[in-house]
């Protein structure tokens, strides 16, 4: 994995030297509320509140206007299909300006548990429908690693480190393809096993295949509650 | 911007509602394991581990269970994983050594397999530990010379079991002959923060 991150770092700096490379800085708080149901079913509600504080081009003046970008509300139903596997499907509504974007979501997750850490693989697809736009299809893969900062398991009142790396392939029309890469180093705190708070960086880079790189730096705050 | 102000206000209300609600709802089993500095470990526990194994890389843990507390030493010695559990005063509880099914006698393993086949449609063994219980002197003699005097040997097996209706992870404890002593279902930690 080390060479990959070095490569990513090189890419980020090489893109910075070119014109038309933009950046966004903002916050991305989310709430995740889950309810376990019978027969290994679970229902999850997720809401995200995206706010932008700075935007601009590398090497040029920055604009600092605050902008409330959008609110997401998603409902996902999941079913545990094995000890480590879960399939899920759901629907998302994105409230952006006066528009409401709709998205359908399908995902398959594998979680491997090791002595001192967990490794999760998430394969997902989603289809986004916005007003007056053709449907956008995304194929996503995310790997997540979480490890306790004390002891061998993440227990109540303890901290943990969670690092995610995601690749999103976006297809829109026939000739419109984009790859987005996300790296999310987060630190989490366990109030109880069903109540966790995480915060850290949500770094996203995309459009580099089209030579107009966009980099986004979000301060992520994620609250996971299970009832 | 009118819409934005509305959203921010709702956000605050939602956060407060969920937080207050959750303090009432959340109830989980109390179990905690944390690293323990070697200076905090009772001398008799340290001495025993150093007498037993020449390994210098011992990690110490403090465990709090519903039934009490314990101190655990974990180390790898001669390619085997050791877990040595003590009471808080440093007196020994047991020694567990990770092992392979080939190290269990054929007769005992056949008995274990019989039990598992009656319990499950299918099962997969994930981990086997031999558990040794006895006095410090008896265990030291056993590990140095291989003579098992006054030692109780059990097999602790972590396995994935499949029945008609369910799949789960279990911890089964067998005695030296392969007779079932106890079973536990292993409850997984919440995975929402990896899944969603």
């Amino acid at each position: 994995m080390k060479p990959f991150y070095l490569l990513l770092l090189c890419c980020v700096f090489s893109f910075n030297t070119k014109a038309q490379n933009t950046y966004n800085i903002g916050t991305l708080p989310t709430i995740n509320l889950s309810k376990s149901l019978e027969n290994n079913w679970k229902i999850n509600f997720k809401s995200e509140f995206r706010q932008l504080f700075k935007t601009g081009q590398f090497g040029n003046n920055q604009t600092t206007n605050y902008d409330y970008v959008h609110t997401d509300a998603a409902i996902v139903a999941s079913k545990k299909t094995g000890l480590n596997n879960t399939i899920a499907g759901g629907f998302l509504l994105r409230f952006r300006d006066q528009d409401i974007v709709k998205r359908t979501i399908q995902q398959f997750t594998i979680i491997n548990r090791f002595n001192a850490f967990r490794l999760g693989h998430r394969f997902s697809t989603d289809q986004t429908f916005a007003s007056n736009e053709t449907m956008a299809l995304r194929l996503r893969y995310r790997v997540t690693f979480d490890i306790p900062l004390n002891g061998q398991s993440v227990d109540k009142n303890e901290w943990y480190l969670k690092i995610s790396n995601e690749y999103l392939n976006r297809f829109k029309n026939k000739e419109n393809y984009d790859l987005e890469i996300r790296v999310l180093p987060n630190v989490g705190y366990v109030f109880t096993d069903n109540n966790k708070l995480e915060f850290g960086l949500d770094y996203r880079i995309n459009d580099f295949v089209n030579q107009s790189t966009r980099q986004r730096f979000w301060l992520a705050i994620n609250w996971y509650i299970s009832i | 911007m009118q819409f934005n102000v509305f959203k921010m206000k709702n956000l605050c209300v939602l956060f407060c509602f969920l937080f207050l609600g959750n303090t009432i709802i959340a109830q989980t089993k109390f179990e905690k394991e944390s690293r323990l500095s070697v200076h905090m470990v009772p001398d008799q526990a340290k001495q025993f581990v150093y007498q037993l194994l020449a390994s210098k890389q011992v990690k110490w843990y403090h465990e709090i269970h519903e039934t009490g507390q314990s101190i655990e030493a974990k180390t790898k010695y001669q390619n085997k994983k050791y877990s040595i559990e003590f009471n808080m005063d440093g007196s020994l509880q047991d020694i567990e050594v990770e092992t392979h099914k080939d190290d269990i006698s054929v007769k005992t393993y056949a008995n274990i397999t019989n039990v598992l086949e009656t319990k499950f449609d299918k099962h997969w063994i994930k981990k086997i530990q031999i558990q040794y219980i006895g006095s410090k002197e008896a265990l030291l003699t056993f590990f140095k010379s291989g003579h098992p005097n006054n030692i109780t040997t059990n097999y602790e097996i972590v396995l994935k079991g499949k029945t008609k209706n369910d799949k789960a992870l279990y911890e089964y404890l067998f005695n030296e002959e392969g007779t079932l002593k106890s079973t536990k279902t292993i409850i997984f930690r919440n995975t929402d923060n990896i899944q969603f």
Side-chain angles (χ1 to χ4, degrees), chain B residues 32-48:
Chain B
K32 190 177 173 184
E33 180 200 72
S34 52
R35 276 297 290 274
L36 190 63
S37 163
V38 69
H39 307 294
M40 306 290 284
V41 178
D43 285 342
Q44 59 167 325
K46 275 188 285 192
Q47 279 168 9
F48 179 75

Side-chain angles (χ1 to χ4, degrees), chain A residues 88-102:
Chain A
F91 193 72
L92 177 143
L93 291 176
R94 171 163 290 173
F95 302 93
R96 187 173 59 191
D97 298 327
Q98 300 305 315
D99 192 17
I100 299 177
V101 176
K102 299 160 195 87

